[in-house]
Amino acid sequence: MKEIKKIIECKSVVEKLRKKGYKIGFVPTMGSLHDGHLNLIRMAGRECDCVIMSIFLNPTQFGPGEDLGKYPRNFRKDCIKAKNEGVDYMFHPGVEEMYPPGHRTWVEVGGLSSIMCGRFRPGHFKGVATVVLKLLDIINPDNAYFGEKDYQQMVIVRRMVKDLNLGVKIISCPTVREEDGLAMSSRNKYLSKEERKEAVILYRCLNMADSMIVEGEKNLKKIKDKLKGELKDNKFVKKVDYFDFRDPLTLEKKNRVRSGDKEVLAAAAAWIGNTRLIDNVIIKL
Ligand code: AMP
């Protein structure tokens, strides 16, 4: 696996791969790799001739007072994991390489960026969309792999790719979970032992929503109130940012299950102690 730090070098490597006719798969991450990330690499490896991963802890998607300073960094360990999974190139630019002095251009995906997580993390998805567009331009992949764990991010990236007529295919990959069901996340490292044990409550509540809908409850507002209450009753849950039902394609809010609906997205964000966790499930009707 070759490590690349400079944009110019990355572009020249990509140009050579393109001349050889290789199909390029791209996996963007912020590092601290776990099985969720490794699964994206495996999918890319199955579908492409060459896998490029990026590890870039993107400062512009963190708000003031968020966890940029303490976000886990394990670049050397990450490289070993990535190499073992068959990553061919690791793009690892510095902050100044991606945001040189004077940088002023931003990408905003209107509407989708200010709901759900965007309501509680203003500017977050502007940072995400901007860095993803920059990375897609540098790497120019055929396919780019994103996890359903960050469902809203995946929908926003798809919208941006469509709106800007980018030639990349966005592939979404299922959420990889710990044995008890907790969605894998670099942020799980922040949890104390007790918090870690209780953190699965988020997934449990999403599954309860699934059962209630499958059993015929159509009033989503009622389910939401019940499950928000369930979360709030847990002494490890400090705050529930949202528990929402949405259209899986447009993220439009849903208050009722209507005849003809095929799928509903249930998504939630909650604070377990000082750690903000997100999770979601797609409920099949
Ligand atoms: P991150 O490093 O957290 O920015 O995540 C990089 C990519 O990995 C994103 O596309 C995430 O959605 C994806 N990802 C993170 N955690 C998981 C997981 N548990 N299952 C599947 N994909 C994940």
Side-chain angles (χ1 to χ4, degrees):
M1 184 182 79
K2 187 174 162 48
E3 290 173 31
I4 304 175
K5 283 180 98 66
K6 296 288 172 202
I7 293 172
I8 189 165
E9 189 191 350
C10 195
K11 285 196 168 191
S12 121
V13 162
V14 167
E15 205 182 307
K16 282 182 196 138
L17 296 171
R18 290 239 156 264
K19 276 198 183 130
K20 285 189 190 163
Y22 283 5
K23 180 171 177 181
I24 300 173
F26 174 46
V27 180
T29 78
M30 297 206 297
S32 188
L33 301 184
H34 51 66
D35 265 348
H37 299 115
L38 303 187
N39 195 44
L40 301 182
I41 302 175
R42 287 173 205 136
M43 284 196 64
R46 280 198 292 272
E47 296 176 0
C48 303
D49 304 312
C50 175
V51 178
I52 304 182
M53 168 171 255
S54 65
I55 292 187
F56 178 61
L57 189 48
N58 177 34
T60 69
Q61 67 188 71
F62 289 80
E66 288 190 351
D67 57 339
L68 175 62
K70 67 166 183 177
Y71 198 88
R73 294 159 166 88
N74 291 305
F75 185 64
R76 290 273 55 105
K77 266 194 192 160
D78 287 346
C79 280
I80 294 169
K81 290 182 188 170
K83 187 175 168 210
N84 287 342
E85 290 299 335
V87 169
D88 299 290
Y89 295 92
M90 173 65 78
F91 182 49
H92 178 55
V95 173
E96 289 240 327
E97 184 72 3
M98 292 298 280
Y99 298 104
H103 178 276
R104 285 194 166 276
T105 305
W106 300 99
V107 186
E108 192 129 36
V109 181
L112 294 177
S113 294
S114 52
I115 57 172
M116 301 163 74
C117 285
R119 243 184 85 203
F120 299 89
R121 303 185 69 192
H124 168 66
F125 288 114
K126 181 168 125 183
V128 169
T130 302
V131 82
V132 170
L133 181 62
K134 278 166 158 291
L135 289 167
L136 291 177
D137 173 67
I138 294 163
I139 287 151
N140 185 24
D142 295 275
N143 292 358
Y145 295 81
F146 288 84
E148 283 173 11
K149 148 87 176 22
D150 300 275
Y151 197 93
Q152 185 176 10
Q153 166 174 285
M154 193 256 297
V155 171
I156 287 174
V157 169
R158 277 191 195 286
R159 187 72 251 172
M160 175 181 78
V161 163
K162 198 161 189 207
D163 290 350
L164 299 180
N165 310 299
L166 308 180
V168 60
K169 192 167 163 195
I170 302 299
I171 314 275
S172 61
C173 311
T175 301
V176 177
R177 300 182 178 279
E178 302 285 357
E179 232 164 70
D180 64 350
L182 176 68
M184 288 192 182
S185 162
S186 309
R187 290 191 167 97
N188 291 351
K189 289 201 174 80
Y190 301 152
L191 300 168
S192 71
K193 218 170 158 188
E194 287 90 352
E195 287 170 347
R196 167 62 193 85
K197 245 169 78 187
E198 289 296 319
V200 70
I201 188 167
L202 201 56
Y203 183 52
R204 215 180 293 137
C205 282
L206 291 164
N207 276 326
M208 277 157 77
D210 185 323
S211 307
M212 288 160 92
I213 292 171
V214 168
E215 278 161 23
E217 179 59 67
K218 299 212 174 325
N219 185 339
L220 297 176
K221 170 91 175 44
K222 198 166 138 190
I223 301 179
K224 172 185 164 147
D225 291 344
K226 182 175 161 36
L227 294 177
K228 251 184 137 171
E230 189 91 17
L231 279 169
K232 282 179 182 162
D233 283 348
N234 185 297
K235 72 170 182 178
F236 289 90
V237 178
K238 202 166 82 180
K239 185 171 173 272
V240 181
D241 276 354
Y242 64 86
F243 192 108
D244 273 3
F245 293 100
R246 302 265 168 180
D247 179 284
L249 293 178
T250 62
L251 299 186
E252 245 169 280
K253 204 162 192 161
K254 291 190 73 69
N255 287 322
R256 274 198 81 74
V257 177
R258 310 232 170 249
S259 56
D261 285 348
K262 292 202 166 65
E263 288 180 337
V264 178
L265 169 74
W271 292 82
I272 309 291
N274 293 321
T275 306
R276 186 178 187 275
L277 298 181
I278 58 170
D279 201 352
N280 68 81
V281 295
I282 297 277
I283 299 168
K284 301 214 181 295
L285 303 168

